[in-house]
C-alpha cells in the first residue's frame, strides 16, 4: 500500500478531499482500491469481494429490493490540480473533486453510516472508467460476474449537480474517408486532392439538423460532429487520403444499429467505417424503484446527454440513473471543483431514502 | 572515405550506375563528395574548391563566356531501390537514376572529357537539395561565396527528359486556421466546431480556377492545393482549432509578395499565416547564352512547373534552365528510372555545344 487507510468517520467533504489527495489516475488505482477494501472490510454488516481493482461490498438483510450505488475510483491525468484546496466559499478544487471522488466519498459514507438500510445495498467501486472501454471495471464485472451487479435499481454517482439525470444517449464513431490520387503539387492537375474532396463531408456536417426526441417527458438532443480530421503526405504532394473522424450522439429511442444506419445514409456516397459504438439507455422512469427515488430527491429529472456507465446497467436489465455531486461540465477540466454543499446534499438524500 | 574513388573513364550510363550504388541520402553525402573531389583534383585543367560537401571545379581559359553545370549529389531516402539495375531495354532503375545522378554523371563526363571547352566552365556539385532549404548547398554557397557561382548562363542538370525546361514557378505555403470553441461532443451545442468551419476553406479551394499565363511563349499553370489538414482534440471533444496547410504554385510573372497578396485576398476572412515562400524564375530566353543553347539542343523548350534551384541562379542574376536526363515525374518515386539513351544524348548535346 502506498498510503494509509481511509478514515470513514471523516465527513463527506473531508473524505472527498482525502480521496482527491490519494492520487489514482487510470491504470494506477491499486493503492486506492487497497485502501477502500481495507476500510470496507472493517464494516461487519458488509461482505466484500475484490476482482482486480474493483470492489463489491454488499448487505444481506433480505430486503424486498436491492439497490446498487456505483462509482469509479480513477481520474483523468492530474494537471497540477492535486492536492485539493477548499476555498472560503465552500468549494473544493482539484482533480476528481467533481469526476468523481465526491460521489465515491458519498458511497463510502453511506456504507459506513447506514448499517441497516431499508433496501439491500451493493456498493461498487471500479477502475478504469476514464480510459478505453476494454479496461473499464464495470464492463469487466458485467462480463465475468453479472450476478454481483444484479439489482432492482442502480444509482451511478457521476456528477449531475445533485439532480437525477435519467437515461443516456448512445455514441458511435465513424471514419469517413475520401481517396484521391497523389501528384506533385507543382503539377496538381495530374492528381486528385483528397482534402479538397473532404469539403463535401464538411458541407454535409454543416447542413446537419439535430433531432430532439422527447422520451418519458425528457428532451434529448442528438449531435453529429467531426472530432478529428487528417490528411497530407508532404508539403509538395497532393494528398491521396483524407479522413474525418465523426462522433454521433444519438437519443436512446434508437438502437446502435439504427444509429449506424442513419449515419451511413447521411454520408451516402462516401467510404464510411464504423469504428466504435455504445448503446444509449432509455430513462426507465416508469420502474417503481426509479419512481421512489425521484420522489425522494424532489421530483426534478433531467435527460443525460453524455454516455455514461448507466448504459451498462441498462444492458443488464437494471434501470439506472446518474445522481451525484458536481457539475458534469467540469469533468476533465483542469479547474475542476465541487461545492461541498452538494456533497452533503447527496449524502443526505440517500441517507433519508434508505430509511436511516 | 566509405568507398573507392570514381572512375571517370566509365561511359555516362555506367558512371550513373556507379553513382547510384554509391549511396548518398541527404545528410550523408560526405563519402560521395570525397570521391568526386578526388576524381576532379586528378584533372589538371580544373581548379577545385570544396566547402562542406559542396565542390566547385572551374576551367580558367579566358573564354568570353562562363557557363555553370550544376547538380545536387544527394538523394531522397533509399526505398529498397539500390543497387541499380540495368534492364534489357536500356533502362537503368534505382534511387537517384533520374533525380539526379544521371545528370551528375554527365557533369563528371564533361569535366573529364572536354578539357578545352569553347566557354569557361564551372562545375558545381552540391549537397542537401532534397531537404529543408536552410541546408541546401547551392543556397549556402550563394550566401557565402556568390562569386564562385557567377556566370553568363547556368544549366541545372535536374531531370527534364533531356529537353530544356525554362524558368520555374514560385511556391509559397500558408496555414489557414479556423478557431471554434471546445465542448463535450455529447453537448455539442455548447461549442463551435472548428473542423466544420474549415468546410468554407475547402469550398474556396474547390472553387479555385488556375491562372495559366504565357511568358516568353511558354504556358505556365498555377495551382492552389491543400497539402495537410489537421484538427482534433479527443474522440469526445468538439475541436477548437483546425488548420489547412496550403501550397500555392505561382507563375514567374508574379513576385513572392504579389503571390502572397493573392492568397491573402483569396482567403479573406480567415486567419492566414505565410509559412514558406520561394520566388519563381522568369524563363530569360532572350539572353544570348540561352538562345545559343536552345539552338544546340534543337529548339524545343518547355515551361518548368516545379520549383527548382534555377530560381537561386536567377536571384544571382544568372539566367538558368533545367536540362537533364530522366522524366521529372519519376523523381522521388520508388520505381525511379532513367533511359540510358537520354544520358548519352545529354552528354552529346553538351559536348557538341561546348565545341569539343
Amino acid at each position: 500500500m502506498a498510503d494509509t487507510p481511509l478514515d470513514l468517520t471523516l465527513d463527506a467533504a473531508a473524505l472527498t478531499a482525502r480521496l482527491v489527495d490519494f492520487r489514482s489516475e487510470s491504470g494506477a488505482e491499486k493503492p486506492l482500491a487497497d485502501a477502500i477494501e481495507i476500510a470496507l472490510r472493517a464494516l461487519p454488516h458488509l461482505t466484500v469481494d475484490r476482482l482486480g481493482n474493483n470492489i463489491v461490498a454488499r448487505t444481506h438483510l433480505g430486503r424486498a429490493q436491492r439497490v446498487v450505488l456505483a462509482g469509479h475510483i480513477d481520474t483523468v491525468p492530474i494537471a497540477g490540480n492535486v492536492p485539493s484546496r477548499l476555498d472560503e466559499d465552500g468549494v473544493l478544487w482539484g482533480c476528481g473533486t467533481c469526476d468523481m471522488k465526491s460521489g465515491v466519498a458519498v458511497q463510502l459514507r453511506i456504507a459506513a453510516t447506514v448499517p441497516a438500510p431499508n433496501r439491500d445495498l451493493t456498493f461498487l467501486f471500479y477502475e478504469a472508467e476514464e480510459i478505453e472501454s476494454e479496461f473499464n471495471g464495470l464492463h469487466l464485472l458485467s462480463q465475468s460476474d453479472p450476478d454481483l451487479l444484479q439489482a432492482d435499481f442502480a444509482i451511478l454517482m457521476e456528477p449531475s449537480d445533485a439532480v437525477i439525470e435519467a437515461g443516456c444517449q448512445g455514441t458511435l464513431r465513424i471514419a469517413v474517408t475520401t481517396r484521391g490520387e497523389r501528384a506533385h503539387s507543382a503539377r496538381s492537375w495530374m492528381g486528385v486532392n483528397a482534402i479538397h474532396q473532404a469539403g463535401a463531408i464538411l458541407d454535409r456536417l454543416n447542413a446537419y439538423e439535430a433531432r430532439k426526441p422527447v422520451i418519458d417527458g425528457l428532451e434529448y438532443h442528438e449531435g453529429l460532429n467531426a472530432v478529428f480530421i487528417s490528411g497530407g503526405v508532404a508539403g509538395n504532394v497532393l494528398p491521396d487520403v483524407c479522413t474525418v473522424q465523426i462522433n454521433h450522439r444519438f437519443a436512446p429511442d434508437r438502437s446502435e444499429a439504427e444509429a449506424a444506419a442513419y449515419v451511413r445514409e447521411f454520408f451516402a456516397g462516401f467510404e464510411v467505417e464504423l469504428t466504435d459504438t455504445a448503446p444509449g439507455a432509455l430513462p426507465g422512469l416508469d420502474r417503481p424503484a426509479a419512481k421512489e427515488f425521484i420522489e425522494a430527491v424532489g421530483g426534478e429529472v433531467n435527460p443525460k446527454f453524455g454516455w455514461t456507465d448507466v448504459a451498462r446497467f441498462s444492458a443488464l436489465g437494471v434501470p439506472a440513473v446518474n445522481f451525484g455531486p458536481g457539475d458534469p461540465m467540469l469533468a476533465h477540466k483542469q479547474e475542476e471543483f465541487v461545492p461541498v454543499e452538494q456533497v452533503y446534499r447527496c449524502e443526505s438524500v440517500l441517507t433519508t431514502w434508505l430509511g436511516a
Side-chain angles (χ1 to χ4, degrees), chain A:
Chain A
M1 274 196 29
D3 213 310
T4 55
L6 297 169
D7 175 2
L8 302 190
T9 68
L10 291 172
D11 78 29
L15 184 56
T16 301
R18 179 78 191 85
L19 290 169
V20 169
D21 298 346
F22 203 130
R23 304 162 71 106
S24 58
E25 293 164 303
S26 306
E29 298 95 336
K30 185 175 182 301
L32 181 54
D34 290 344
I36 289 172
E37 181 184 0
I38 290 169
L40 293 174
R41 285 198 190 280
L43 300 171
H45 63 286
L46 297 174
T47 61
V48 177
D49 293 282
R50 176 161 176 169
L51 298 100
N53 293 317
N54 305 296
I55 294 152
V56 183
R58 289 177 292 171
T59 63
H60 300 276
L61 302 167
R63 305 302 192 212
Q65 293 187 338
R66 175 171 290 278
V67 172
V68 176
L69 298 182
H72 64 84
I73 63 173
D74 62 320
T75 69
V76 295
I78 290 165
N81 49 359
V82 162
S84 60
R85 180 175 60 84
L86 181 66
D87 73 16
E88 59 209 10
D89 297 320
V91 171
L92 184 68
W93 300 78
C95 181
T97 45
C98 162
D99 185 16
M100 58 169 286
K101 288 183 169 175
S102 50
V104 171
V106 172
Q107 288 178 269
L108 288 169
R109 286 291 295 165
I110 301 291
T113 65
V114 188
N118 57 8
R119 296 161 173 89
D120 267 311
L121 295 178
T122 299
F123 298 94
L124 169 62
F125 301 89
Y126 63 100
E127 65 182 333
E129 193 270 348
E130 299 292 6
I131 55 174
E132 292 80 355
S133 183
E134 61 186 300
F135 303 112
N136 181 300
L138 177 54
H139 166 67
L140 295 175
L141 281 178
S142 72
Q143 303 288 309
S144 67
D145 297 83
D147 290 352
L148 278 178
L149 305 175
Q150 274 309 319
D152 300 285
F153 184 52
I155 300 170
L156 189 58
M157 301 206 61
E158 288 270 7
S160 68
D161 263 335
V163 170
I164 295 174
E165 292 188 334
C168 81
Q169 297 200 128
T171 177
L172 67 77
R173 290 188 178 80
I174 53 174
V176 184
T177 298
T178 55
R179 295 185 192 277
E181 197 179 330
R182 286 191 197 189
H184 196 292
S185 60
R187 293 175 293 273
S188 50
W189 55 94
M190 305 292 289
V192 178
N193 192 317
I195 294 176
H196 293 196
Q197 292 180 302
I201 299 174
L202 302 186
D203 289 345
R204 289 202 198 172
L205 285 169
N206 281 313
Y208 170 76
E209 293 188 22
R211 206 171 61 99
K212 299 180 186 176
V214 175
I215 307 167
D216 285 4
L218 304 176
E219 185 182 77
Y220 287 86
H221 191 151
E222 298 190 331
L224 187 67
N225 275 276
V227 289
F228 287 105
I229 189 166
S230 64
V233 175
N236 60 356
V237 175
L238 258 67
D240 53 349
V241 179
C242 183
T243 297
V244 188
Q245 308 274 357
I246 294 167
N247 185 207
H248 178 42
R249 301 293 177 137
F250 54 97
D253 61 338
R254 280 193 176 164
S255 69
E256 290 169 279
E258 287 166 340
Y262 169 76
V263 293
R264 286 189 186 282
E265 174 63 26
F266 191 86
F267 290 108
F270 287 100
E271 181 182 328
V272 175
E273 186 196 359
L274 184 67
T275 56
D276 185 27
T277 173
L282 286 163
L285 300 182
D286 52 343
R287 305 285 192 100
K291 282 187 176 167
E292 291 162 19
F293 185 60
I294 292 167
E295 207 166 295
V297 174
E300 193 184 349
V301 183
N302 291 329
K304 183 69 181 175
F305 297 118
W307 193 90
T308 77
D309 277 342
V310 296
R312 299 190 199 275
F313 284 107
S314 270
L316 291 170
V318 181
V321 297
N322 286 287
F323 174 75
D327 180 348
M329 305 291 281
L330 295 172
H332 305 190
K333 298 212 172 182
Q334 200 269 342
E335 66 275 25
E336 186 178 348
F337 66 81
V338 69
V340 299
E341 173 274 324
Q342 286 195 3
V343 187
Y344 296 136
R345 180 143 46 98
C346 286
E347 180 186 12
S348 162
V349 162
L350 285 168
T351 303
T352 304
W353 181 57
L354 292 169

